[in-house]
Each structure stands twice: as C-alpha cells, then as structure tokens.
Amino acid sequence: MAEQTATPVTATAAPSAPEPTTLWVERTGTRAYTGRSSRGAEVLIGSQGVPGVFTPGELLKIALAACSGLSADFPLSRKLGDNFDATIRVSGDADRENEVYPHLEEVFELDLSELDDEARERLLVTVQRAIDKVCTVGRTLKAGSKVTLSFDVEA
C-alpha cells in the first residue's frame, strides 16, 4: 500500500469588503444643501426653481432611473456591445396634499433596430428580469421601506 502524504493547505486572506460609503448633506444656505459621499462625490440640492440644483424628489427619480440603467447594463452590453446608447427618462408628479409620488414612470430608450422581433423580445425580457432582480432602488420603492430618524443635538 502506498504511503500518502498530506499537502499543506495555506490559508489566504479573503479579499476584504470595501469600506461602506458614508453619505451626508450639509446646509450651505437657505434651503440649500450639498450632498456628499466619503468617495468624494457631491450633488447640489435645493428648492425647485433654483438653477443648478436638484430637488430631493428629482434625486429620487434619478436614483431610480440610474439603478435601472446600471442593472440592465450587463445584459444590454452583452447583446449590443459596449458602446450602446441608452436613455432612461423618469417622471411622476408629486401628490402635494400627501407629499408622496404615487406613481413613477420610467421609459427606457434603446435602439434595437439591428435585432429581429424575437431577439428584441428576448432581450427586453432579460433586461426586465435583471432590473427586477438587482435594482435596489426600484425594489425598495416597490416594497416600501421603514425610515427612522434620530437627532444628535448639542444641548
């Protein structure tokens, strides 16, 4: 019977997860804030009608559209190539009495003229599934989310 020797197993450290991004807004003037991330990103936030800023509701809509686009990017690029054009328009009027957006509508604009009807339909089903599966913003809005608020005040 042959003698077996054990091969030593070397443990390697698993890749560390990226540090979570910290997000905050800072007041920069009357009804004006700058949203910031620990990765160095900034967005100007203010009231409707102020040039050069997004309202919080606009940011919500843009987050939804961007999430859909990012979720669909891989299946689309796999079929259309890396240089495809896409625009996702998002709209929805606020119900000011209740301060909610009761309906948000996204329109995904794509040129699929190079595909036949069957390939186009298959791709759109795949894209819809990808968005439904991994678009965290859309999934959160559809499911509802518990939001908590606390205060850290100097007394």
Side-chain angles (χ1 to χ4, degrees):
M1 198 166 179
E3 190 175 309
Q4 293 181 343
T5 58
T7 305
V9 176
T10 305
T12 57
S16 61
E19 289 293 319
T21 301
T22 303
L23 303 171
W24 69 97
V25 297
E26 295 175 350
R27 186 172 189 268
T28 56
T30 303
R31 297 190 49 80
Y33 286 78
T34 298
R36 301 185 191 281
S37 84
S38 57
R39 292 191 324 270
E42 293 184 348
V43 62
L44 302 179
I45 307 162
S47 297
Q48 189 170 2
V50 175
V53 302
F54 289 106
T55 68
E58 290 167 339
L59 288 173
L60 174 75
K61 294 174 193 176
I62 287 173
L64 176 62
C67 189
S68 293
L70 290 168
S71 299
D73 207 70
F74 182 68
L76 287 170
S77 64
R78 202 171 53 219
K79 187 69 174 178
L80 304 175
D82 288 334
N83 296 320
F84 71 92
D85 291 327
T87 301
I88 301 115
R89 299 189 190 282
V90 62
S91 60
D93 293 329
D95 169 353
R96 289 297 171 207
E97 186 174 312
N98 296 299
E99 290 299 333
V100 296
Y101 291 96
H103 180 81
L104 297 174
E105 180 179 2
E106 292 180 280
V107 177
F108 211 128
E109 299 174 2
L110 291 165
D111 179 0
L112 302 180
S113 60
E114 298 294 317
L115 303 177
D116 63 39
D117 289 344
E118 188 177 313
R120 187 170 35 253
E121 184 59 31
R122 276 194 318 268
L123 179 58
L124 293 176
V125 166
T126 301
V127 166
Q128 182 68 61
R129 285 182 183 153
I131 293 169
D132 290 344
K133 184 177 180 182
V134 299
C135 177
T136 306
V137 175
R139 291 172 59 85
T140 299
L141 289 170
K142 288 175 186 174
S145 182
K146 180 181 176 183
V147 178
T148 60
L149 172 67
S150 63
F151 295 92
D152 182 4
V153 299
E154 293 180 29

